[in-house]
Amino acid sequence: MTVTSARRVDPIAADAVGNSATEAFVQAFGYRPTGVWSAPGRANLIGEHIDYAGGTVLPFALPYVTAAAVSVRADGVVRCVSTHEEQGWEGPVDQVAPGHPTGWASYVAGVLWVLATRGLLSAGVGFDIAIASSVPIGSGLSSSAALECSVALAVAELTGLPTTEPEDRLQLVTAAIRAENEIAGASTGGMDQSVSMLARSGSALLLDCRTFAHSHIPLDPARSGAALMLIDSNTPHQLVGSAYTDRRADIDTAAERLGVASLRSVRDVDAALARLAADGGERLARRARHVLSEMRRVELAVEAMQTDNLRLVGELLSASHASLRDDYEVSTSALDAIVAAALDGGAWGARMIGGGFGGCALVLCAADREEIIAAAVAQTLAAAEHPTPSVYVASPGPPARRLQ
Ligand code: ADP
Ligand code: MG
């Protein structure tokens, strides 16, 4: 039997990522940047597919970050390069608009466009920007929000906008959301940008997706002898766009049939589900059952975290996975196999995270089971001829900040 092990991707220290951004800056522009800022990728502990139903989610910042080395220019031009991309982009800030530029630079230019549109950038200001990152791109860990937020914080601090208070940072969050929605043309609800800007080390961010009200809930697995890891199925996301639209439509229809603005407003869950099912909406009832039960699981997870009961958090993760798999139908055989193998290996709980149809699973386990579980998962996936998984450390880290 061949022994297959998971590909472990340890986080690179943020300062080292910052140094790579500085090197890329010097190479591209021939002088040293004024400063370097970083913003993290994220994972959502629990509260999946409920943001668009007005739910409250519980994401945390990852120790994988994107760094932006930046200087101000006086000619209204932005030039940007990334260590992940062969092609940079340059153009006048005042010509950025939906559809221009396209590709990766749209995330960077989009942030400048929003700030300029709001009158927060003086006419004629421009920037040189070099990006480096340790956030896996396209794995559902939100490299896009990390990119937007590193640039937003850099530009804000370099141009004298306030950034220390949560309200200041929320301004940058909304700029990053609009950049992604309107310039990059990717639909995003705002959880990713919020946690990248507002997270705290050793905590998860309890975020109300309707109002952006938030608080910090302690989440420090190492202190309890536990570990959180992310296992990337390394399978391409399939059907994501259409399935996502279908799920959203089902949730909107369910709310409409129940006569509520969003499922968040449902008080009597059993009565609501019975009513949906009685109308011949068996599928709608299952979709709504996921959303309503997941909203409850977030509340229970917060209570469990407040009493440091990580085993109970684990049970809630596994229940979330079953609901996403059976009621919401957004899992895949590879994600199901990761979760099953992790639980067989003694994990306290595991679930797929993100939109689904690919991407990562989050595993909560005793710290001394981490490697055994990763190996068991890799074996199971190999036996089923799935791609070799990657393993990421998921310890809750700090928010966007200045590095140098
Ligand atoms: P995710 O946010 O889950 O990683 P997305 O599809 O939302 O996946 O965003 C990935 C896109 O963001 C990339 O295709 C690229 O356009 C842009 N991006 C993210 N990180 C970088 C980076 N370090 N350099 C250049 N572009 C990046
Ligand atoms: Mg993204």
Side-chain angles (χ1 to χ4, degrees), residues 42 107 138 140-146 148 180 186-188 192-193:
R42 64 94 190 93
Y107 294 87
L141 304 182
S142 212
S143 66
S144 58
E148 294 145 13
E180 182 149 348
S187 153
T188 175
D192 309 350
Q193 293 79 3

Side-chain angles (χ1 to χ4, degrees), residues 51 53-55 207-213 262 264-265:
D51 51 343
L207 175 75
D208 184 327
C209 295
R210 284 187 305 188
T211 60
F212 285 79
S262 73
R264 170 82 174 270
S265 309

Side-chain angles (χ1 to χ4, degrees), residues 23-386:
E23 272 169 39
F25 188 103
V26 172
Q27 200 180 352
F29 308 127
Y31 69 106
R32 286 188 70 77
T34 306
V36 184
W37 286 259
S38 72
R42 64 94 190 93
N44 188 14
L45 182 68
I46 197 158
E48 208 64 82
H49 277 287
I50 62 171
D51 51 343
Y52 48 83
T56 295
V57 295
L58 200 49
F60 59 94
L62 292 172
Y64 301 86
V65 302
T66 295
V70 185
S71 288
V72 173
R73 297 167 60 90
D75 59 359
V77 166
V78 54
R79 300 192 291 180
C80 52
V81 295
S82 165
T83 56
H84 279 86
E85 298 285 340
E86 278 181 16
Q87 290 293 317
W89 182 78
E90 91 171 68
V93 177
D94 64 8
Q95 282 178 23
V96 175
H100 181 74
T102 53
W104 78 270
S106 60
Y107 294 87
V108 174
V111 170
L112 304 180
W113 174 77
V114 179
L115 295 176
T117 312
R118 286 189 190 157
L120 296 174
L121 290 185
S122 1
V125 74
F127 301 92
D128 283 337
I129 302 173
I131 303 295
S133 182
S134 65
V135 185
I137 296 180
S139 288
L141 304 182
S142 212
S143 66
S144 58
L147 175 57
E148 294 145 13
C149 291
S150 62
V151 170
L153 189 66
V155 166
E157 293 198 356
L158 283 171
T159 57
L161 295 174
T163 61
T164 46
E165 298 302 318
E167 306 80 77
D168 305 331
R169 286 189 167 228
L170 273 171
Q171 292 288 324
L172 301 178
V173 167
T174 54
I177 296 170
R178 277 191 64 198
E180 182 149 348
N181 282 332
E182 296 174 43
I183 303 293
S187 153
T188 175
M191 167 173 74
D192 309 350
Q193 293 79 3
S194 301
V195 65
S196 191
M197 276 292 180
L198 299 166
R200 249 186 222 166
S201 261
S203 294
L205 184 79
L206 184 66
L207 175 75
D208 184 327
C209 295
R210 284 187 305 188
T211 60
F212 285 79
H214 58 273
S215 57
H216 302 274
I217 311 294
L219 178 64
D220 189 353
R223 214 191 50 208
S224 314
L228 275 167
M229 66 178 153
L230 283 157
I231 303 187
D232 191 343
S233 62
N234 287 327
T235 47
H237 287 263
Q238 282 162 352
L239 294 169
V240 185
S242 59
Y244 185 80
T245 318
D246 291 350
R247 297 302 180 281
R248 276 195 84 134
D250 277 354
I251 292 310
D252 290 345
T253 309
E256 223 167 88
R257 291 207 185 159
L258 294 169
V260 290
S262 73
L263 290 184
R264 170 82 174 270
S265 309
V266 168
R267 289 284 157 261
D268 186 338
V269 171
D270 291 339
L273 295 180
R275 196 162 138 203
L276 287 171
D279 283 353
E282 187 272 338
R283 190 189 72 223
L284 284 189
R286 274 192 296 121
R287 302 290 190 246
R289 184 167 60 186
H290 165 70
V291 167
L292 294 167
S293 62
E294 186 78 352
M295 287 176 177
R296 180 69 187 136
R297 280 187 289 273
V298 172
E299 294 170 356
L300 294 172
V302 169
E303 284 172 28
M305 286 154 75
Q306 280 161 342
T307 54
D308 229 355
N309 189 348
L310 289 185
R311 283 176 188 268
L312 179 53
V313 173
E315 283 171 29
L316 293 163
L317 297 187
S318 301
S320 170
H321 184 78
S323 178
L324 288 159
R325 180 191 62 207
D326 302 334
D327 278 349
Y328 223 59
E329 297 180 284
V330 291
S331 190
T332 62
S333 57
L335 288 166
D336 292 344
I338 293 172
V339 168
L343 295 177
D344 277 353
W348 296 346
R351 71 176 195 88
M352 56 150 281
I353 64 158
F357 304 102
C360 295
L362 180 67
V363 176
L364 177 61
C365 61
D368 59 4
R369 297 295 295 176
E370 225 182 334
E371 280 181 29
I372 296 160
I373 290 170
V377 167
Q379 284 294 332
T380 303
L381 292 183
E385 297 187 1
H386 289 301

